[in-house]
Amino acid sequence: MARLPRLVVPGLAHHMTQRDNGRQATFFEEGDYALYLDLFAEAAARANVEVWAYCLITGRWMIKLSQYLKGNG
């Protein structure tokens, strides 16, 4: 069954997460973390979202973000 669209309210936070599959690593070395953050920052700017917090762990990541309020981004 298809998932219903999520309600997006500008200025309210969303918690995004991605977990490993079978304890497989997502990030293997320090450069992987840096590259991911650079790519995510570019994508966030294009999508007009503000990153409030993030946590990158070897096998997962968690990010709290929100859409910019009109006039703020």
Side-chain angles (χ1 to χ4, degrees):
M1 179 174 185
R3 189 177 197 143
L4 295 174
R6 294 182 185 201
L7 178 64
V8 176
V9 179
L12 294 183
H14 288 271
H15 181 252
M16 296 176 56
T17 185
Q18 176 265 319
R19 295 183 69 88
D20 56 28
N21 181 16
R23 299 193 181 270
Q24 295 177 350
T26 302
F27 306 104
F28 298 95
E29 55 189 48
E30 289 297 317
D32 296 340
Y33 294 93
L35 176 61
Y36 182 84
L37 289 175
D38 288 344
L39 294 173
F40 193 84
E42 291 174 17
R46 284 193 313 270
N48 200 32
V49 298
E50 178 181 26
V51 177
W52 291 6
Y54 64 87
C55 179
L56 306 179
I57 305 170
T58 303
R60 73 189 95 163
W61 55 257
M62 293 160 277
I63 297 173
K64 188 160 290 238
L65 51 82
S66 72
Q67 270 195 323
Y68 284 114
L69 295 170
K70 285 188 177 186
N72 289 348

